[in-house]
Amino acid sequence: MASGRAGRRAGGVLLVLLLLAGALLGLDRGLHAYAERRVATELQNSLALAGPPAVEIRGFPFLTQAARNRFPRVDVTASGFSGSRSPGEPTLEIETLQAELHDVRTEDGYRVVRAGRLDGRAVLAYDALGGYSENPLSYGGSAGGPGRVQTKVSAPVGGDLLAATISGVVTVDEPNQQMVITEPAVEVVGVELGDEVVDRLAERFLEPIPVGALPLGLRLTGVEATETGMVARVTGTDVLIQEG
């Protein structure tokens, strides 16, 4: 009889522990979802997005991180916002931004979010660069090397206007925060052009693309031309996100 009662007591204790663990897990997941919604709301306000971005706070359990108001990593995916807010500059429309926020601290019920570092990947459509170029830019292939951008123009060659395709590799001028097109090449059917002519045409039709003031104080660190658009790498330190 005693062993039976002891077994029932042990079973009762186990059941209580399981119920408590389930309640704590439910609380953990509920607060986790709430925090993600709050961070998404602040990002939506800060970036003037039409809708909230996708936010994922990494790490488990959440409660221990929330108790310190500090999170090792938060992943964010946002779309449809402007990359330039400087007066007089064309608007640089960013299709999507995928960002990793590291060493994230929160204040005031997640209304203020500060990341020690942000590493991001932004995709820009070629037609979004129209305000920076006299002629539309498009993807120019890779030919086994870095992706190239190209533009089709009527170029003055030997006193005539000839249809030409001018292409180049996009790189970043970090100090001046602009995209620079290097390694120029010009294709004109039936005409062989010298290096000097190629350089002059590239200088005229492939001008540097300033990125202006990126949101959240981010800086452009790299860029690559792909079939789907220009892929830019951005980074920032001590990034402050709060209601705009």
Side-chain angles (χ1 to χ4, degrees):
M1 288 291 290
S3 62
R5 285 195 297 272
R8 285 194 295 274
R9 283 197 298 272
V13 170
L14 179 60
L15 178 59
V16 170
L17 290 175
L18 289 174
L19 290 173
L20 180 59
L24 288 174
L25 179 61
L27 178 62
D28 186 276
R29 295 298 84 193
L31 288 175
H32 181 265
Y34 167 79
E36 288 181 337
R37 289 195 300 271
R38 287 299 314 163
V39 173
T41 296
E42 300 313 316
L43 277 167
Q44 181 180 356
N45 292 332
S46 295
L47 298 174
L49 302 174
V55 173
E56 181 181 1
I57 299 177
R58 298 292 190 121
F60 180 84
F62 174 79
L63 287 174
T64 57
Q65 301 179 71
R68 301 191 304 269
N69 285 320
R70 197 158 195 156
F71 309 88
R73 176 173 158 183
V74 177
D75 292 348
V76 175
T77 301
S79 60
F81 61 95
S82 168
S84 173
R85 295 183 178 180
S86 298
E89 292 181 348
T91 297
L92 191 62
E93 296 295 335
I94 297 172
E95 283 197 337
T96 60
L97 171 66
Q98 295 176 314
E100 295 178 2
L101 283 66
H102 301 271
D103 188 22
V104 177
R105 291 146 286 162
T106 64
E107 303 170 22
D108 193 20
Y110 300 97
R111 290 179 176 84
V112 176
V113 180
R114 190 184 299 273
R117 188 179 88 254
L118 183 152
D119 297 315
R121 179 179 181 273
V123 178
L124 301 81
Y126 291 110
D127 57 11
L129 300 172
Y132 292 95
S133 176
E134 181 181 341
N135 300 280
L137 294 175
S138 62
Y139 181 61
S142 63
R148 301 176 71 86
V149 294
Q150 67 179 21
T151 185
K152 297 182 182 297
V153 302
S154 294
V157 178
D160 296 319
L161 283 177
L162 300 178
T165 300
I166 307 176
S167 69
V169 175
V170 188
T171 60
V172 172
D173 175 1
E174 287 195 51
N176 294 311
Q177 283 297 280
Q178 60 183 3
M179 292 182 278
V180 180
I181 301 175
T182 62
E183 301 180 31
V186 179
E187 293 182 13
V188 179
V189 177
V191 179
E192 184 174 345
L193 303 178
D195 291 343
E196 184 179 345
V197 176
V198 170
D199 289 341
R200 283 205 311 267
L201 293 175
E203 185 177 350
R204 173 176 174 182
F205 293 107
L206 296 178
E207 297 180 356
I209 303 171
V211 300
L214 292 175
L216 307 178
L218 302 180
R219 292 185 61 81
L220 181 69
T221 58
V223 67
E224 177 186 4
T226 71
E227 290 186 63
T228 56
M230 205 88 81
V231 179
R233 295 188 300 277
V234 296
T235 189
T237 56
D238 197 26
V239 177
L240 176 63
I241 302 165
Q242 60 185 358
E243 186 171 349

